[in-house]
Amino acid sequence: MTCMLSGAIANTILDPIFIFMFHWGIFGAALATILGQILSFLLAIRYLWHFQTIRFEKNYFRPKIKESLQTCSMGISSSINQIAITFVQIVLYNSLTYYGERTVYGSDIPLAACGIVMKTNAIVLAIVVGISQGVQPIIGFNYGAKQYSRVREAYLLAIKWNMVVSAMGFFLFQCFPQSIISLFGDGDKLYFEFAVLFMRIYLFMVLVNGVQLLSSSFFTAIGKAMRGALLALTRQVFFLIPHILVLPFWFGIIGVLLAGPVADFMAFLLSVLLVSRELKKQRILSQREAFSEQ
């Protein structure tokens, strides 16, 4: 956490210095980001020599196929999710440009509004992802120890706090969208009109958005990486992209915005279905374990 925060804080401090004091513009912003990342990297490298329980040896750096595949399986759902987000952004930006040109908003306003909405939502998602990743080792440890009741308890506890964070985001996005958008700069009436509309519609189902992310991490934690990867793909690839392409045929640019909550709700239903089945299996296993002990 120290490594990550140090880079972020350095970036925040250097941005206004390079942009406004040195008048370096976008080059200054990019340089501040790079220097922040380098600082985080150097702190992480320095930490490697301060491990108290691990000593590095040459044979540790030789790749082993079995261990490498196991390691990859643990991170495949997060990796796929990040790649999918990139494809979603490409399709979303192109759709907003295409359909925006056919409205009074033009192509620039939808793109600007999209950038603000995505960045704002990323703050909420960062907290949700943090909770999801933080509960992974707890779920994995208890699943391996066959403490299935604790697995269920940890999952439901993480869901509860994800819902609390998401509820706060939903309240702010629906009640104070213009105030949030105003933090990123000024614009004309059309700009604020579309940006407010974008935030309210596209993020309407943010309340349940974290369930899919947590459920994907849940399956990865219990060793079912493929199911976790499937859930990681559902919202972004299987549901969101097709709806972004199809709904505008009937609703125009509003259809692009509607694709977000529709995909979120469908991914939520699928997540609930798969996790409910898994927890039911674990409950049966727990009963069998208790019966065998008797």
Side-chain angles (χ1 to χ4, degrees):
M1 184 177 67
T2 301
C3 294
M4 296 294 291
L5 284 177
S6 298
I9 293 172
N11 187 6
T12 304
I13 295 173
L14 292 175
D15 263 334
I17 294 175
F18 290 168
I19 295 173
F20 300 115
M21 291 182 62
F22 295 168
H23 304 287
W24 288 349
I26 293 177
F27 169 77
L31 182 60
T33 301
I34 293 171
L35 292 177
Q37 292 173 341
I38 291 174
L39 176 61
S40 295
F41 166 75
L42 292 177
L43 289 175
I45 291 295
R46 179 181 178 275
Y47 183 73
L48 294 180
W49 277 268
H50 290 76
F51 283 135
Q52 296 180 357
T53 56
I54 298 175
R55 293 185 177 180
F56 288 108
E57 297 181 11
K58 291 183 179 180
N59 63 319
Y60 292 166
F61 294 91
R62 296 173 184 171
K64 298 178 181 179
I65 300 300
K66 184 179 179 180
E67 286 79 2
S68 298
L69 290 176
Q70 289 177 343
T71 302
C72 290
S73 68
M74 295 300 294
I76 191 170
S77 62
S78 297
S79 176
I80 290 176
N81 192 54
Q82 291 299 317
I83 295 172
I85 288 174
T86 302
F87 283 107
V88 167
Q89 289 177 336
I90 294 172
V91 175
L92 182 60
Y93 290 160
N94 280 293
S95 298
L96 288 172
T97 301
Y98 179 77
Y99 291 102
E101 290 177 345
R102 303 184 176 191
T103 66
V104 294
Y105 304 115
S107 60
D108 292 336
I109 288 178
L111 287 180
C114 181
I116 292 173
V117 170
M118 292 301 183
K119 289 295 183 182
T120 306
N121 187 40
I123 298 173
V124 176
L125 289 180
I127 302 173
V128 170
V129 169
I131 295 173
S132 302
Q133 292 182 349
V135 80
Q136 263 191 320
I138 301 173
I139 290 175
F141 176 86
N142 285 286
Y143 184 81
K146 298 182 180 180
Q147 298 290 331
Y148 301 117
S149 61
R150 293 183 178 180
V151 172
R152 178 185 179 88
E153 183 181 352
Y155 175 80
L156 293 178
L157 181 63
I159 283 289
K160 182 183 75 173
W161 285 107
N162 269 354
M163 294 288 282
V164 170
V165 173
S166 298
M168 293 173 62
F170 176 82
F171 175 75
L172 292 174
F173 296 152
Q174 296 301 318
C175 297
F176 306 102
Q178 186 159 338
S179 299
I180 296 173
I181 295 164
S182 298
L183 296 174
F184 295 86
D186 297 325
D188 58 21
K189 182 180 178 180
L190 284 176
Y191 164 74
F192 278 107
E193 179 183 311
F194 184 82
V196 168
L197 189 66
F198 197 127
M199 181 169 286
R200 282 179 170 162
I201 294 178
Y202 194 80
L203 301 181
F204 185 75
M205 293 302 295
V206 71
L207 186 63
V208 298
N209 202 7
V211 175
Q212 180 258 342
L213 292 170
L214 177 58
S215 300
S216 177
S217 299
F218 168 78
F219 282 110
T220 302
I222 63 175
K224 299 183 178 182
M226 292 308 297
R227 193 166 295 184
L230 173 65
L231 273 181
L233 286 170
T234 53
R235 195 265 179 185
Q236 307 291 355
V237 177
F238 298 151
F239 296 148
L240 184 55
I241 291 179
H243 282 93
I244 290 176
L245 297 175
V246 172
L247 289 180
F249 285 114
W250 292 285
F251 304 104
I253 195 169
I254 301 300
V256 180
L257 311 186
L258 288 171
V262 171
D264 288 338
F265 185 69
M266 294 176 69
F268 164 73
L269 292 179
L270 181 60
S271 299
V272 171
L273 175 63
L274 293 179
V275 172
S276 297
R277 288 182 177 180
E278 179 59 35
L279 293 179
K280 184 178 180 180
K281 290 179 183 178
Q282 292 183 18
R283 187 163 53 249
I284 294 173
L285 290 174
S286 181
Q287 293 172 352
R288 288 178 180 175
E289 290 288 337
F291 179 78
S292 62
E293 290 178 359
Q294 293 177 354

